[in-house]
Amino acid sequence: MILVGPDRIAEAQARIADRVRRTPLESSPSLSALSGAPVRLKLESHQLTGSFKLRGATNAVLSLSEEARQRGLVTASTGNHGRALAHAAKAEGVRAVVCMSALVPANKVEAVRALGAEIRIIGRSQDDAQEEVERLVRQEGLAAVPPFDHADVIAGQGTIGLEIAEAQPDTELVLVPLSGGGLAAGVAMAVKSRLPHARVIGVSMARGAAMSESLRAGRPVLVEEVETLADSLGGGIGLENRYTFAMCRDLIDDVVLLSEEEIAEGIRHAFAAEGETVEGAGAVGIAALLAGKVDVKGPTVVVVSGRNIDEALHRRIVSGGADETVSLGGPNP
Ligand SMILES: *Cc1c(COP(=O)(O)O)cnc(C)c1O
């Protein structure tokens, strides 16, 4: 069963073309030498708002009915999806409400507010924030736009895969960060529709990787959430998962898991060898190559998904501090 097919991704590409950046695909001499095949980086860290999430959020906003636009949008994400949705809604003059718990740090709250969203502080957990989302949907008719398990969001993220296939039709392998699976599902569907022989490998942190555990179990499962340097990869996939579990199960060829030290090495390498500031989640593809955990046989593209990392943490990591890997940040759905 095709849940979000190539046509839907091609439509998303046309719809969002003048709202998002077509990000650079840069060759990496150091990773190519290491891997023995050409390696290129798809730099979504250069995307507006600092992550690829703007693609899915923009496609979701532009796909709303006129009625839904009048009422507005709501989400509980305080991380890259929250930023992206705030930006996308503001660009279209649509109201966006972001619900968050009282425990969300002030700098994150301000980052989302600065992008024009209305902030609603509620309760003391992510679950409380999610309940408020559901209440606003029920009682005020707002449209919920979740961070990954939504057809328009997946189609938007898939536009990265189309750009890769168009720019680099000899691609044999794509490495994609994997959390809820919206990115991996969309990219895999797009890449495989254009390049049927290409492989797509998902990369997650070893601790608390919900999609990886779910794929192994054969159904969505809950995982305990732990702090990780790849904070944008935290969070569950939802026991009621509708799209991304099935798509990842059917389209992803393999999943690679990384230690915190390996992720730190990816961040360091991105900065020292590529001159790129990349957050933990964005560095996992690079880290997987550095760790020798991927069998590279031909032209390879690494999706570098975002750059939003705490500055002080980034400074510590690139200056060599490997011990403080999990001293900052936390679950960032
Ligand atoms: C959200 C996010 C991911 C993971 O995307 P999913 O669709 O949840 O798998 C990876 N990297 C960054 C920077 C993100 O913000």
Side-chain angles (χ1 to χ4, degrees), residues 162-276:
L162 295 183
E163 289 178 20
I164 292 170
E166 285 159 9
Q168 212 58 57
D170 63 351
T171 301
E172 290 183 19
L173 173 64
V174 181
L175 301 181
V176 194
L178 176 63
S179 175
L183 175 63
V187 167
M189 178 57 81
V191 166
K192 292 186 171 197
S193 72
R194 299 283 173 97
L195 315 172
H197 301 294
R199 285 184 304 146
V200 177
I201 294 181
V203 190
S204 298
M205 66 290 181
R207 301 192 304 170
M211 182 61 84
S212 167
E213 297 281 325
S214 299
L215 291 172
R216 269 201 299 184
R219 64 188 158 81
V221 295
L222 294 173
V223 294
E224 194 194 337
E225 221 167 307
V226 285
E227 281 193 32
T228 168
L229 265 183
D231 58 333
S232 294
L233 300 186
I237 69 165
L239 292 178
E240 309 289 313
N241 189 288
R242 292 177 62 198
Y243 300 98
T244 60
F245 173 74
M247 290 182 73
C248 288
R249 180 192 62 206
D250 296 348
L251 294 166
I252 304 278
D253 295 282
D254 204 356
V255 176
V256 167
L257 300 177
L258 300 171
S259 70
E260 293 300 302
E261 180 43 40
E262 287 166 341
I263 296 168
E265 201 50 51
I267 295 172
R268 268 196 289 275
H269 184 92
F271 191 71
E274 319 289 346
E276 299 290 334

Side-chain angles (χ1 to χ4, degrees), residues 26-45:
E26 300 274 357
S27 110
S28 166
S30 67
L31 293 171
S32 301
L34 179 87
S35 308
V39 174
R40 294 180 180 81
L41 305 177
K42 179 63 172 166
L43 293 172
E44 283 299 296
S45 47

Side-chain angles (χ1 to χ4, degrees), residues 51-53 80 147-148 177-184 232-233 279 281-282 305-306:
S51 87
F52 72 91
K53 288 240 176 34
N80 287 333
F148 54 87
L178 176 63
S179 175
L183 175 63
S232 294
L233 300 186
E279 62 176 284
S305 53

